Each structure stands twice: as structure tokens, then as C-alpha cells.
């Protein structure tokens, strides 16, 4: 609304202002105009009208003043964000120049010197990053995922020519033409605590540079999967992509035709641990089990996974193999709607260990950890703690600790609830408990759970991780479980919510029944 000034004849006129806001001079003029009107000699018959008009003008003046204050506050906040952005950009550019200079200077260093120099290793392993990647004991990674990686100076010539594609994740919302929204999760403004509204947002992956390398993981012992894999490799080769497969798959392809000699693979265990540095995205051909196997290959960061359905169940495989060309074209072009599937990090601690995490290497699971009684005829006896607080004692067939992605697996069969996979929680589901009041729980993702086999237990317990790597837990042993910092990003056909609802409708035939007939008895009016 524009301010009002008095003309020479005493009438009010409107003075437009830039951007719809008043500056300080306009506010002063507006207030003077109101004051002059009020102080003018009143003419008989218009006194009531002038009083109403003066009150309205005061209200308008207050509203315009608040609008001007809001504009000033918004401009100050925008300037602060711009300053932070420029500082961060300048810091990243300085770090990149420093790393490139170091790489050129030290390009002829021997492998031994690279391994012995921690500082050189940090510089050679990543560029344009806020935090260095550290691979700790037992191959579990920490800190942040690298946005862009260069190959080590002592790698082969072909690898030097391959540069990993970079991407960024941002919150997006259906129906929004722009992506300008709050990025903070919790804000504290003028004594009021609020959270950013993200309930309608889906996570989107946008390539900042085109992907160049793809890893294909296939379901073994399937003739239909072999045919689709061979066709997909040919098609991806035409798109000038570098292709990695498992050693078993490469042997099968080369045995079929020498044309597939360009396909790359790895020979030693260390080659798997470095796959995330070479691969831009992963394609799985199979069912949910193939997705679990692909995720288990990565102990740290996991590249985006594009799962194609070639199995019996498809809670994680929304894409159809018959339309792989259209699907992969959209994936390569981007942006991609993805689901971030959380994983659990598990440590088995033996009673004889002097310190925690001493003897057993950690295990990452995407679905669930199951602790059961095995072949023993006795009930399991498990003491459960949550952040060092006693929760309960489990007496029954066992206990399931599941991610939300695994809520539609064993946990569902044991009576647990189905949960959207992007809900960051841990499902606590008993298996046939010998208690009528033992109901499943959903715990927040930040807690640490400790499942202890007490010394007075009649038998041993057994722990399995995503259905494999079965380990015996003797009295005194414990299993420590927490949420891993490395989720598994899987591509969506539509978006995360639609894919989840589609999977439970078509995979489980959820809540399907005949519709009630309309010609039966009716309620009396």
C-alpha cells in the first residue's frame, strides 16, 4: 500500500514507493499528513468522518512501518547468507588449488612414501571437500562423503583419465517451481523454537557433472538376468560409460564373446574397498536380496543404486528391466528422486575382550539384526539397554532390531509395524515373546542399543546380519548397535512415498478385500 500526502487543497493523495515499501521520509510525511488532518479546524457535520479517517490512517501507518522493518530484516539476513556463501566458496577454491599444486609436485612419489605420509594421503584422496575421509580400523569410514575424488598418482594410466561425477542433494517439493526454502532443521528466532517444514519434501539428486562409471551387480544363477546384463552392457558402452562388474560376471561375459573384454573388474579385496572412489552409480539386476548384497560391498559411502526388479519381491526395486533404456536415460540425465535407506552398524563384543570393539570387526546391515535361540530348546534370555538405560529382558524366541527399510521383512512377520524407509528410526521387535504385554517399539535413530547375554542364561544365542554372517553369542557376550552415518541411496521411479505405497500394495496385497455391497440393510432414518 502506498502512503498518502495532502495536496494544496487539503485532500489526501497516494505517493508510490519502490518495491512496495516505504522509506523513512515517506513514513514521516505520512505521519505529518495524519497529524495535519487531525489538527485542522473541524467543519460541522464531518467530525465523525474525520475521526474514523484518522484512526484508519494510524493503522495504515503502523502496518507500513512493520513492512519496512520486515524488509530491512530480510535484506540483512540475505546479506549475511551471501557473505557466508562467498567465504565458503573462497575457502574451497583455495583448498582445490593447494591440492592440485601438491599433486603435480608429488606425482612421482613412490607408493611407500604415499602410505607413510598422512598429510599427503589426505591431499591425494580428495579435493573440494569440507572434511577429509578417514578409513579407520576394520574398513569402516567416518566423516563426510567426498563430492569429488581424483585417482591416486600411482594408479594406472586408464584410471587417471576417469573423474568421478559430482552431485548434490537438496530438498524438493512437488508443485514448487523454485527450490528456495529453509535449509535449517531447527531455528531459534526471537525466543521461539521452530522446525523447518519438510513433511512434503522429497530428496532429489542432481548431477553437477555427467556420470562416467557404472557398476552392475547381478543375481547369480539366473539365465534371464544374464541376458539382460549382456544387453545393458552393450547399451551403456554405446553411451561411452566405463563399466565395472563382479569377477564372476566378467568371466561369464568374456566366455560368451570377446567383445566384452572392455568390461572392468577387481581381483583383490582392497579393490572392493575403493569402489566408491571409482563408481558414480550402481545398477542391480535381481530382487531385494541383490540390493542387500550391493550395499554390503560398501563399508563406507555408497554410490546411488538403481535397482531393477528381476526377483520375487520388490520393496526396494521399483524399476522394470524391460524398460531399462528409458530408466537409465533419465538417471544419466537427472535429476533423480532418491530414498536414503539407513543402515545399522553392529559390534560383537566378547566377554573375554579387554575393551569394546577389540576383537570383532563391525558389520553394516540394511534390513535387520536378528538374535535368536538357534537350535537350543531353551528360551532366549537377553538383557536390553538403550544408551546405558535398562529397557527390558527378552524371554522368547529372540529379538529383531530392524531399520525402517527392513520393516517390511522379518520384523513385519514378527508383528512389527510397516514404516516409511526414510523415517530415521530403529525397530525393536520381539520374536514370539513369552509375555502378553511385550509389544514392538520404534526408537529414535541416535540411540545406541546393547543386547547382552547374561551369565545365568541357560543357553547360547545366535546373531545374524541381513540373514547371513551368523555368529554365536555366549553368556557374557554382547551386541552393540547404532545407526551408521552412511545411508544407502536408492533411485525412485516416482518418489519415495509413492514407491513405498506401491510396494506394499503390490508386494503384500495390503488391505485388499471385496467391497461391501450397497444393496444390503440400511441404517434407519
Amino acid at each position: 500500500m502506498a502512503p498518502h500526502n495532502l495536496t494544496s487543497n487539503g485532500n489526501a493523495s497516494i505517493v508510490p514507493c519502490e518495491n512496495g515499501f516505504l522509506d523513512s521520509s515517506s513514513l514521516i510525511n505520512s505521519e505529518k499528513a495524519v497529524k495535519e488532518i487531525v489538527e485542522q479546524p473541524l467543519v460541522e457535520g464531518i467530525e465523525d468522518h474525520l475521526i474514523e479517517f484518522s484512526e484508519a490512517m494510524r493503522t495504515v501507518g503502523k502496518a507500513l512501518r512493520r513492512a519496512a522493518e520486515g524488509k530491512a530484516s530480510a535484506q540483512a539476513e540475505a546479506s549475511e547468507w551471501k557473505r557466508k556463501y562467498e567465504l565458503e566458496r573462497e575457502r574451497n577454491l583455495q583448498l582445490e588449488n593447494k591440492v592440485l599444486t601438491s599433486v603435480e609436485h608429488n606425482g612421482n612419489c613412490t607408493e611407500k612414501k604415499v602410505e607413510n605420509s598422512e598429510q599427503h594421503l589426505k591431499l591425494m584422496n580428495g579435493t573440494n571437500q569440507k572434511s577429509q575421509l578417514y578409513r579407520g580400523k576394520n574398513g569402516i569410514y567416518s566423516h563426510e562423503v567426498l563430492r569429488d575424488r581424483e585417482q591416486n598418482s600411482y594408479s594406472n594410466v586408464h584410471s587417471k583419465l576417469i573423474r568421478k561425477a559430482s552431485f548434490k542433494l537438496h530438498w524438493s517439493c512437488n508443485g514448487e517451481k523454485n527450490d528456495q526454502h529453509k535449509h535449517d532443521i531447527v531455528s531459534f528466532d526471537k525466543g521461539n523454537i521452530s522446525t523447518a517444514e519438510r513433511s512434503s519434501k522429497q530428496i532429489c539428486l542432481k548431477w553437477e557433472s555427467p556420470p562416467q562409471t557404472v557398476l552392475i551387480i547381478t543375481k547369480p544363477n539366473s539365465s534371464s538376468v544374464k541376458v539382460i546384463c549382456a544387453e545393458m552392457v552393450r547399451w551403456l558402452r554405446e553411451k561411452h560409460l566405463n563399466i565395472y562388474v563382479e569377477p564372476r560376471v566378467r568371466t561369464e561375459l568374456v566366455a560368451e564373446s570377446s567383445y566384452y573384454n572392455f568390461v572392468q573388474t577387481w581381483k583383490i579385496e582392497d579393490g572392493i574397498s575403493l569402489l566408491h572412489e571409482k563408481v558414480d552409480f550402481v545398477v542391480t539386476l535381481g530382487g531385494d536380496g541383490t540390493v542387500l548384497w550391493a550395499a554390503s560391498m560398501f563399508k563406507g559411502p555408497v554410490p546411488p543404486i538403481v535397482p531393477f526388479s528381476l526377483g520375487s519381491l520388490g520393496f526396494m526395486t521399483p524399476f522394470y528391466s524391460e524398460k531399462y533404456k528409458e530408466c537409465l536415460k533419465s538417471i544419466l540425465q537427472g535429476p533423480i528422486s532418491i530414498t536414503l535407506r539407513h543402515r545399522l552398524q553392529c559390534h560383537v563384543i566378547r566377554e573375554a575382550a579387554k575393551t569394546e570393539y577389540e576383537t570383532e570387526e563391525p558389520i553394516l546391515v540394511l534390513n535387520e539384526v536378528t538374535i535368536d535361540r538357534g537350535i537350543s530348546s531353551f528360551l532366549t534370555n537377553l538383557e536390553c539397554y538403550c544408551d546405558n538405560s535398562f529397557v527390558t529382558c527378552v524371554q522368547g524366541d529372540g529379538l529383531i532390531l530392524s531399520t525402517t527399510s527392513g520393516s517390511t521383512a522379518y520384523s513385519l512377520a514378527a508383528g512389527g509395524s510397516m514404516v516409511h524407509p526414510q523415517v530415521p528410526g530403529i525397530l525393536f521387535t520381539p520374536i514370539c515373546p513369552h509375555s502378553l504385554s511385550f509389544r514392538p517399539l520404534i526408537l529414535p535413530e541416535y540411540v545406541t542399543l546393547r543386547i547382552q547375554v547374561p551369565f545365568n542364561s541357560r543357553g547360547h544365542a545366535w546373531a545374524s546380519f541381513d540373514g547371513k554372517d551368523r555368529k554365536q553369542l555366549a553368556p557374557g557376550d554382547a551386541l552393540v548397535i547404532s545407526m551408521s552415518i552412511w545411508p544407502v541411496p536408492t533411485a525412485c521411479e516416482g518418489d519415495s512415498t509413492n514407491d513405498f505405497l506401491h510396494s506394499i500394495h503390490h508386494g503384500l496385497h495390503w488391505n485388499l478385500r471385496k467391497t461391501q455391497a450397497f444393496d444390503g440393510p440400511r441404517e434407519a432414518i
Side-chain angles (χ1 to χ4, degrees), residues 316 339-342 366-367 402-409 419-421:
M316 302 183 189
T339 300
L340 285 181
R341 301 183 181 274
H342 303 275
L366 181 56
N367 263 2
S402 170
T403 65
T404 50
S405 292
S407 66
T408 52
V419 186
H420 192 288

Side-chain angles (χ1 to χ4, degrees), residues 416-434:
S417 177
M418 292 185 292
V419 186
H420 192 288
Q422 280 188 187
V423 176
I426 302 175
L427 278 67
F428 187 93
T429 309
I431 306 174
C432 296
H434 199 250

Side-chain angles (χ1 to χ4, degrees), residues 85-298:
Y85 170 77
E86 295 295 339
L87 288 176
E88 185 67 22
R89 181 181 179 187
E90 183 66 22
R91 189 181 299 112
N92 289 338
L93 290 175
Q94 291 177 359
L95 179 61
E96 183 175 2
N97 293 333
K98 182 178 179 181
V99 172
L100 292 176
T101 304
S102 176
V103 170
E104 294 176 358
H105 179 71
N106 299 309
N108 297 322
C109 289
T110 63
E111 182 176 353
K112 181 178 180 180
K113 289 182 179 180
V114 172
E115 292 176 352
N116 293 336
S117 174
E118 181 181 357
Q119 183 65 24
H120 185 76
L121 181 60
K122 288 182 179 180
L123 292 176
M124 294 293 292
N125 276 346
T127 61
N128 196 16
Q129 56 180 333
K130 296 180 181 179
S131 173
Q132 298 293 342
L133 182 69
Y134 172 73
R135 183 158 63 98
K137 184 180 178 181
N138 303 317
I140 295 296
Y141 288 73
S142 61
H143 302 302
E144 298 181 0
V145 183
L146 299 182
R147 294 181 60 224
D148 195 3
R149 307 268 306 179
E150 293 285 353
Q151 300 296 326
N152 293 333
S153 60
Y154 48 84
S155 58
N156 56 51
V157 177
H158 178 76
S159 298
K160 288 183 178 179
L161 300 177
I162 301 176
R163 181 182 178 90
K164 266 185 64 62
S166 60
F167 59 86
K168 62 181 179 181
L169 301 180
H170 63 89
W171 295 101
S172 62
C173 181
N174 293 334
E176 289 187 358
K177 295 183 179 180
N178 57 57
D179 53 1
Q180 296 178 355
H181 44 264
K182 295 181 69 175
H183 293 275
D184 52 337
I185 298 176
V186 178
S187 62
F188 185 84
D189 184 22
K190 296 182 180 179
N192 298 319
I193 297 177
S194 63
T195 57
E197 296 182 0
R198 301 188 300 176
S199 58
S200 62
K201 307 293 189 298
Q202 301 291 340
I203 299 179
C204 186
L205 183 151
K206 184 177 181 180
W207 300 108
E208 292 186 334
S209 59
Q212 299 185 23
T213 306
V214 58
L215 169 64
I216 301 178
I217 304 296
T218 64
K219 177 183 178 181
N221 304 322
S222 173
S223 57
S224 60
V225 170
K226 291 180 182 179
V227 174
I228 294 293
C229 178
E231 294 179 0
M232 186 177 293
V233 168
R234 286 179 176 269
W235 186 83
L236 290 172
R237 182 62 175 177
E238 295 175 358
K239 301 297 180 181
H240 308 290
L241 266 73
N242 302 293
I243 304 171
Y244 276 83
V245 296
E246 297 174 273
R248 167 187 57 84
V249 178
R250 188 183 189 281
T251 301
E252 295 174 353
L253 290 174
V254 173
E256 179 181 343
S257 173
S258 59
Y259 167 80
Y260 298 103
N261 283 327
F262 63 85
V263 177
Q264 303 178 61
T265 187
W266 55 90
K267 296 182 180 179
I268 57 177
E269 195 68 22
D270 290 341
I272 298 180
S273 63
L274 298 177
L275 271 178
H276 71 279
E277 302 178 9
K278 306 174 184 178
V279 175
D280 295 323
F281 67 97
V282 181
V283 172
T284 62
L285 301 175
D288 289 350
T290 310
V291 178
L292 295 177
W293 169 248
S296 68
M297 297 173 61
F298 298 91

Side-chain angles (χ1 to χ4, degrees), residues 49-106:
H49 296 287
L50 287 176
I51 292 174
E52 293 177 0
F53 177 72
S54 63
E55 291 296 332
M57 289 297 296
R58 289 192 185 95
T59 303
V60 171
K62 291 179 181 179
L64 293 174
R65 190 178 298 107
R66 285 196 297 268
E69 292 175 354
K71 177 184 178 183
S73 176
Q75 289 177 342
E77 184 178 358
S79 300
E80 180 64 18
W81 277 108
K82 183 177 180 181
R83 184 185 67 82
K84 291 181 179 180
Y85 170 77
E86 295 295 339
L87 288 176
E88 185 67 22
R89 181 181 179 187
E90 183 66 22
R91 189 181 299 112
N92 289 338
L93 290 175
Q94 291 177 359
L95 179 61
E96 183 175 2
N97 293 333
K98 182 178 179 181
V99 172
L100 292 176
T101 304
S102 176
V103 170
E104 294 176 358
H105 179 71
N106 299 309

